[in-house]
Amino acid sequence: MKRFGLAAFLGVTLVALTAGGVLRLAGLGEAAEVCWAAGTVVAVVPALWWVVSALRAGRLGVDAIAVLALVGALAVGEYLAGALIAVMLATGRALEEYALRRARRDLTALYERAPRWAHRHGSDGGARVDVSEVRRGDLLVVPAGELVPVDGVVVRHEAVLDESALTGEPLPVEHLAGESVRSGVVNAGPAFDLRATGTAEESTYAGVVRLARETEADTAPVVRLADRFAAWFLPLTLVVAGLAWALSGDAVRAVAVLVVATPCPLLLAAPAAIASGLSRTARTGVVVKGGGALETLGRARTLVLDKTGTLTRGRPEVVDVVPAPGHPAEEVLRLAAAVDQVSSHVLAAAVVRSATWRGLDVPAAAEVQEEPGRGTAGVVEGRQVQVGKAPPGTSSPWTATQRSRAALDSAMTVWVCVNGELAGVIFLRDAVRTDAARTLRRLRTAGIERIVMLTGDHVEVAESVAAVLDVDEVLAERTPAQKVAGVRAEAGRATTVMVGDGVNDAPALAAAQVGVAMGARGSAASTQAADVVLTTDRLDRLADAMDVARRARRIAVQSAGAGMGLSLLAMLAAALGALPPASGALLQEAIDVAVTLNALRALSGGHGTRVPVDAPTGDLLHRFDEEHARLRPALDLLRETADALDRPSAVVLPRLRRVHDVLVDEVLPHERAEESRLYPALGGLLGDPEATAPMSRAHAEIGRLVARLGRHLELASARGLLPEQVDDLRACLYGLHAVLTLHFAQEEEAYFSLVGQREE
């Protein structure tokens, strides 16, 4: 109803102003004055109500000046001025309501996701009951795909749970019989039995919901930019008007001061700039839920980010395939993908995605069987392939080495067996977004002074991500309540933005001055709790939104400040008797038009912190990014060949020749094309031909090492691979692997992220 009331208010004032103008042109001056007076009177009522409401809230805002101006215009018979003020007041309020329409923090999705049913064991084998009927000690069954209704202990069977809603960790977690599990997580495996250790009201998820509601209730509303200006402009206006009346003895001068002091730059220009900013952010795939949120985003100084799904992709990715001796890495991945392509497990999907990305020909598997918690098995090209956990009795120095590496890298492992023999292991991690580092640098350039990672994940995992992103502090293994406390502590020191995507982030988003949700893959709860929603799965959109917010706020302040500065000059002229009310109203309208046109500049993009990429350069970046994807297997081949150098020369030499052929025929042409085409384009784009010089130096080092490998092959072709060549060859291959891996990562972060990340 409020929206329709404002629309009616705006319609009435516009009709009154327009009708009066038509009547004046028709020579009916008295009738015109009546229309304008009616429009002025109509505006006084809601304006008075807004003033009373503001006073009840403990503040005196811009509407008080509007009331004084309207009443003053009526008192001296300046009805046209009053009608113009009424239209400006109604237009400003309508713009503001449009901007704030969706600003109410609604955590409905969080509440609706709460468990409602439980399956309780009984004499009839089980019955569905309302979750409120569950009592401590009840034996429940949790079917596959359903929420765990209450906190409890796993009984008899192993539980495979998706706990991302509470911890943010994307990988399923296994819980053995006797281990505790929390409510609100999803059963990602087969059905299991649960012994309730508490009621629904005592459960973990109910605590998250209560916390979100309390946080929402405690969050203070944002003070309008216009009201902050009005805090000093109103007293100044009253002082000038009072002095003009007292010193001249002429009440008309005081009214003239009030008329020219009508804060239309505040009522219209500032909301217009903010509304323009909202329109601009929408074009970049960012929904900002209100002008207050955009204003606050524009003055933020601290950024708090969740890890999983925010700084990382939020899903496991294959980072390496390590074959057991005698098994090619590509074959290990190909066979694993053949079996996993019929599985719905998140790790299986990552394996299949990696094989597809590398262009492998994945065959069909037969007789596929999936055992939850253990893995998948099937027949591929006549061979029995098992993918998942390492089978019992496979311990060896090689497997110990791989387990040690997985622990050091905080990686998940998928073991691959072929015909009962261990063939290799696949390492998976939740990879850092390629645009994360550049986005954080852009945010620092835009004014962010402190960046904090706040996550429920393990310390080692969080710190490994933070190490490559240059964050100021890492707060790991935090519960939802601890996340809220962390955000509130930061918000107490500076204006804080919190970015997250999970249900567990919803209370923390509500606790920050501005909550930002990764809406493309994030939970509905976080999207509803946030003030800003990134509708695309790209973190760099946050930097775009902050650019727009700072520009819109700066233009709003400029427009309001310039308008009030000109109004102050007009007020002085009116106080001295040089500007009567009618002329003052016309002058004020000219000021209003000027500052409003200036405010509409916020519709344009501005420069911001994003590097503008022209279409030809963007095409080049996409092309070379795709070539990186195709060349990734060559990097694995380098290390595999280096690992095999201790084998007989007859086995090693063919591998060395294959490596050399790949480097000469694929890698070096790629690097030369970058040097001749991409880097000159980037030099012009970045405004510095030397910007790509470090990358050119890497190209030179790659070329040097490839040439060295070629000389080794020339020597070996004449007299065979000599023992004294092995150490240098190994150093050469490992060096190429290290340089190329780092070089690819640097290009993807520094250059390819300019046009967005590749979808894998």
Side-chain angles (χ1 to χ4, degrees), residues 217-228:
D218 292 344
T219 302
V222 176
V223 179
R224 290 188 297 162
L225 179 67
D227 288 342
R228 290 197 292 271

Side-chain angles (χ1 to χ4, degrees), residues 9-25 31-43 78-91 585-586 589 592:
F9 176 33
L10 177 60
V12 169
T13 55
L14 280 172
V15 168
L17 178 63
T18 304
V22 171
L23 291 171
R24 172 62 65 87
L25 291 175
E33 294 289 320
V34 170
C35 285
W36 291 332
T40 305
V41 171
V42 166
E78 295 291 340
Y79 303 127
L80 173 59
L84 288 168
I85 295 167
V87 169
M88 291 298 181
L89 177 64
T91 304
L586 292 175
E589 287 309 303
D592 296 341

